[in-house]
Amino acid sequence: MNILVIDDDTAETDLFEILVESFPNVVTRINLHDTWVLQIKKIKPDLIILDLFSPDAENFKICKQIRELVSVPILVVSVINSPDLIAKALDAGADDVLSKPVSKSLLMARLNGLITRNRGSKRRNISLPSH
């Protein structure tokens, strides 16, 4: 499973890599939005986690452009928590939206749902490591 994380903050992409470490996957992090088109074409991700760091129209445009490029699930994770802005992210092509801060268990549940729906196959749960 190839997961692409697009965020403007290096600390956030590092955090997402840690949060999804229980996936049998490869996580690619992009911190500069201007490289995402090349990375999507190169990596061919199975799922994209996109941080919409502000309600700026440019961020919704990025989500829309990603959707036009690929049909893989897009999970938007953001500080955005107003219903109107969440609806705008969904209208731009996001499959799901989570507001920060997000717990690992909620993130895993949403990723499981997106992957299951996208593959149309038997449910394959991602388990949380026991510590």
Side-chain angles (χ1 to χ4, degrees):
M1 159 102 26
N2 286 324
I3 298 174
L4 179 61
V5 179
I6 304 173
D7 197 312
D8 66 322
D9 182 353
T10 305
E12 289 290 326
T13 54
D14 291 346
L15 175 63
F16 281 114
E17 184 172 30
I18 292 167
L19 288 173
V20 297
E21 70 187 356
S22 61
F23 265 85
N25 63 46
V26 175
V27 177
T28 302
R29 302 169 298 170
I30 301 176
N31 297 106
L32 300 174
H33 286 281
D34 57 357
T35 65
W36 63 264
V37 172
L38 295 173
Q39 291 295 329
I40 288 174
K41 290 179 179 179
K42 178 181 171 186
I43 297 166
K44 297 183 173 85
D46 298 302
L47 185 136
I48 296 171
I49 298 173
L50 173 64
D51 177 28
L52 292 184
F53 51 91
S54 74
D56 183 286
E58 191 64 28
N59 289 303
F60 294 107
K61 183 179 174 185
I62 290 169
C63 186
K64 187 173 184 163
Q65 290 172 328
I66 291 171
R67 176 52 64 219
E68 290 169 354
L69 196 61
V70 294
S71 62
V72 301
I74 300 171
L75 174 63
V76 168
V77 180
S78 181
V79 295
I80 296 170
N81 60 9
S82 99
D84 290 340
L85 294 176
I86 290 170
K88 194 170 181 178
L90 294 168
D91 287 343
D95 293 286
D96 202 351
V97 179
L98 288 175
S99 295
K100 291 181 185 177
V102 61
S103 71
K104 184 172 183 170
S105 59
L106 181 57
L107 178 64
M108 292 298 113
R110 296 289 177 91
L111 291 175
N112 274 324
L114 289 171
I115 291 166
T116 300
R117 283 189 298 278
N118 190 53
R119 290 192 175 161
S121 62
K122 258 190 343 186
R123 186 170 187 90
R124 188 180 96 204
N125 286 330
I126 302 159
S127 59
L128 293 172
S130 57
H131 294 285

